[in-house]
Amino acid sequence: MAESDRVAIITGAGDGLGRAEAIELARDGVAVVVNDLSEDLLQETVSQVEAVGGRALAVAGDVAEWETGVRLLEAARDGLGQLDVLVNNAGILRDRMVFAMSEAEWDSVIRVHLRGTFVLTRLATEHWRNLAKQGGTPQARIINTASEAGLMGAAGQPNYVAAKAGIIGLTVSTARGCERYGVRANAICPRARTPMTDGMFAAPDSGHADPFGTEQVTPLVAWLARPDSDAVTGQVFVVHSGRIAVMAPPPVAATFAAPERGWDVSAVASAMDWYAEPRPTFSAKDAIEAAFEVRG
């Protein structure tokens, strides 16, 4: 295990990707505070972290509750000595088409994913800002879990898509606003086989590495948590199948100039004839898939 005195909070760490991230960070020498709703699942995570020589504390609770966030920060700062890394991973699914979605299904997904990410981000960045203002030099890292769904949409997941797109926006805003305080914030869009994604991916070929195994994702998380990732902030990564893609901001597809008289409805309609012109189509999904077809 690498020598380090760094400490991370990881939400959604009772199983799946969050647990795998906790173990990977522990192997890299990071002590972890793990969070989930289930105390039993968290204790299993703690045991697996300790089995690789790591240190772990468990704090069960609803990550969208302010009090849970406060307890997590206190566990890192007071129980393990400090806080250097925040991995926001907690999430749920309540899939349904937008025309059939209930208020509860919308609110619960937005609450866990987006509010939960905000609560921990808000508390951690305040902590690091205070340290910087007191003369400290934080080398703080935030790694948020977004999704390709937040980049390109998914018909039956309007709540999840909105939450993940919001997390990407929050990540970039945090990166811009907190860079001066030593905070680096990035988002990952993983494809990982976990209890939450059960049944979404085909079974792996026998004798071959699982392209959607959590081990395809966690090394990137561990590197983003390191001090030597200091130059990287405000970025969105897609990661799976042994590939990492760095996403660029959306490009401008076309611009239209108003006629001398200015815009009116007919002028807009004339400009929008552009949509009827034949052109190659290349969506965000196409771009991601093309990136993952690169060999080398």
Side-chain angles (χ1 to χ4, degrees), residues 257-273:
E260 286 188 14
R261 69 179 186 276
W263 288 116
D264 57 24
V265 174
S266 63
V268 172
S270 178
M272 292 305 139
D273 285 343

Side-chain angles (χ1 to χ4, degrees), residues 138-243:
Q139 290 183 305
R141 303 289 182 265
I142 298 175
I143 301 131
N144 290 330
T145 307
S147 170
E148 292 169 87
L151 298 171
M152 64 186 72
Q157 296 183 303
N159 47 5
Y160 183 76
V161 168
K164 291 306 192 182
I167 287 171
I168 290 170
L170 174 60
T171 302
V172 176
S173 178
T174 301
R176 303 291 179 263
C178 298
E179 187 171 10
R180 74 188 74 177
Y181 306 118
V183 179
R184 305 292 182 262
N186 296 285
I188 64 166
C189 300
R191 294 187 198 175
R193 194 184 307 278
T194 70
M196 194 175 85
T197 62
D198 185 41
M200 290 186 181
F201 306 118
D205 293 336
S206 177
H208 293 81
D210 183 356
F212 305 118
T214 56
E215 68 277 6
Q216 305 282 357
V217 176
T218 55
L220 173 61
V221 175
W223 181 77
L224 288 171
R226 284 184 167 187
D228 58 4
S229 67
D230 194 64
V232 181
T233 194
Q235 300 301 307
V236 179
F237 298 88
V238 175
V239 54
H240 62 85
S241 308
R243 301 292 181 197

Side-chain angles (χ1 to χ4, degrees), residues 107-174:
D107 290 345
S108 61
V109 169
I110 297 294
R111 184 177 183 278
V112 174
H113 287 272
L114 188 53
R115 177 180 164 84
T117 298
F118 162 72
V119 168
L120 268 298
T121 298
R122 163 64 173 79
L123 292 168
T125 53
E126 180 187 32
H127 168 69
W128 290 321
R129 179 175 180 267
N130 288 340
L131 286 180
K133 285 185 169 291
Q134 293 163 12
T137 54
Q139 290 183 305
R141 303 289 182 265
I142 298 175
I143 301 131
N144 290 330
T145 307
S147 170
E148 292 169 87
L151 298 171
M152 64 186 72
Q157 296 183 303
N159 47 5
Y160 183 76
V161 168
K164 291 306 192 182
I167 287 171
I168 290 170
L170 174 60
T171 302
V172 176
S173 178
T174 301

